[in-house]
Amino acid sequence: MSIELQRVAPAEIEARSMEIITEELGRELDPELAPVIKRVIHTSADFDYADNLVFSPGAVKRGVEAMKNGCTIVTDTQMALAGINKRVLGKFGGEVMNFVADPDVAEEAKRRGVTRATVSMERAAALGRPLVFAVGNSPTALVAIRDLLEAGTLEQPALIIGVPVGFVNVVESKELILELENIPYIVARGRKGGSNVAAAICNALLYLASGDARE
């Protein structure tokens, strides 16, 4: 069996990938949402995200503005933190934070009988600064964000990215975010998602903020 590989220069691989995504989609996407959707498909090779990603009105614009204003991105996993382009974010004066691995967070979570993600979101709320939440793994992080908003202990975030993956309380936690009013969100409806998807959405917004033409 003979296999022929395309000869593509390293610098052109991503551009060619985006061309393939556009071709295989076979339909036009909303121009405002397309860079985010295509970035997620590029990361996951899953075309379901063309239909699964739900955007509140103006969510992409709000997310881009947050990046330009040097927001703090709070993730629920170290994997999402690692995948976000911190060099580009740093140019705007922003940073990425994750509290899950902090020993005192683990200790408090164990003492209270809650997840470390829950305590992490509480720590984020106490920062008192513009936040983008990038949740790719823990449904309890989304529940905590909703509870903190309802309790008035969390200022309105610049954006909630709700894309946890899995089977237990994943769908339900996302629906809680979709019910929020006047809060910008990007949510992957259903079971699909992941830390890589959360990072991809952040990076798409960062590339838009920096004027990067890539999709």
Side-chain angles (χ1 to χ4, degrees):
M1 180 178 178
S2 178
I3 299 175
E4 283 193 26
L5 299 178
Q6 296 182 47
R7 294 184 178 276
V8 184
E12 298 173 0
I13 291 175
E14 182 172 309
R16 178 59 186 138
S17 296
M18 291 299 182
E19 290 174 3
I20 292 170
I21 290 169
T22 300
E23 292 167 4
E24 294 197 13
L25 271 171
R27 59 187 167 101
E28 293 294 324
L29 298 173
D30 183 318
E32 183 179 352
L33 311 182
V36 177
I37 295 171
K38 290 182 180 180
R39 176 62 46 185
V40 171
I41 293 173
H42 178 264
T43 295
S44 63
D46 189 338
F47 282 83
D48 284 352
Y49 286 107
D51 300 306
N52 293 351
L53 285 178
V54 181
F55 299 77
S56 65
V60 171
K61 182 179 179 181
R62 295 283 292 275
V64 170
E65 289 175 351
M67 300 299 171
K68 287 182 176 179
N69 291 332
C71 66
T72 297
I73 301 174
V74 176
T75 71
D76 66 326
T77 64
Q78 290 289 331
M79 185 182 296
L81 181 148
I84 293 170
N85 193 322
K86 290 170 280 295
R87 178 184 61 81
V88 176
L89 181 60
K91 288 182 177 180
F92 296 113
E95 62 178 329
V96 187
M97 303 184 72
N98 179 276
F99 303 100
V100 171
D102 293 358
D104 57 332
V105 168
E107 182 181 345
E108 181 177 344
K110 183 177 180 180
R111 174 172 51 82
R112 291 169 53 192
V114 298
T115 66
R116 287 182 292 168
T118 296
V119 179
S120 295
M121 297 305 109
E122 294 171 354
R123 296 290 173 90
L127 293 173
R129 62 176 83 166
L131 301 175
V132 169
F133 288 100
V135 178
N137 183 71
S138 176
T140 58
L142 294 184
V143 174
I145 292 169
R146 193 282 310 267
D147 290 346
L148 289 163
L149 285 167
E150 289 190 347
T153 52
L154 171 64
E155 294 182 16
Q156 178 170 319
L159 179 67
I160 300 172
I161 298 170
V163 293
V165 60
F167 299 94
V168 179
N169 292 327
V170 167
V171 174
E172 294 82 358
S173 68
K174 293 174 179 178
E175 293 298 321
L176 288 176
I177 300 303
L178 292 173
E179 291 175 357
L180 294 174
E181 296 182 359
N182 302 316
I183 303 289
Y185 60 72
I186 300 174
V187 171
R189 196 166 228 154
R191 293 173 170 176
K192 292 184 177 182
S195 296
N196 60 330
V197 173
I201 293 171
C202 290
N203 288 337
L205 298 173
L206 282 167
Y207 298 147
L208 288 169
S210 64
D212 193 325
R214 72 174 100 178
E215 289 189 348

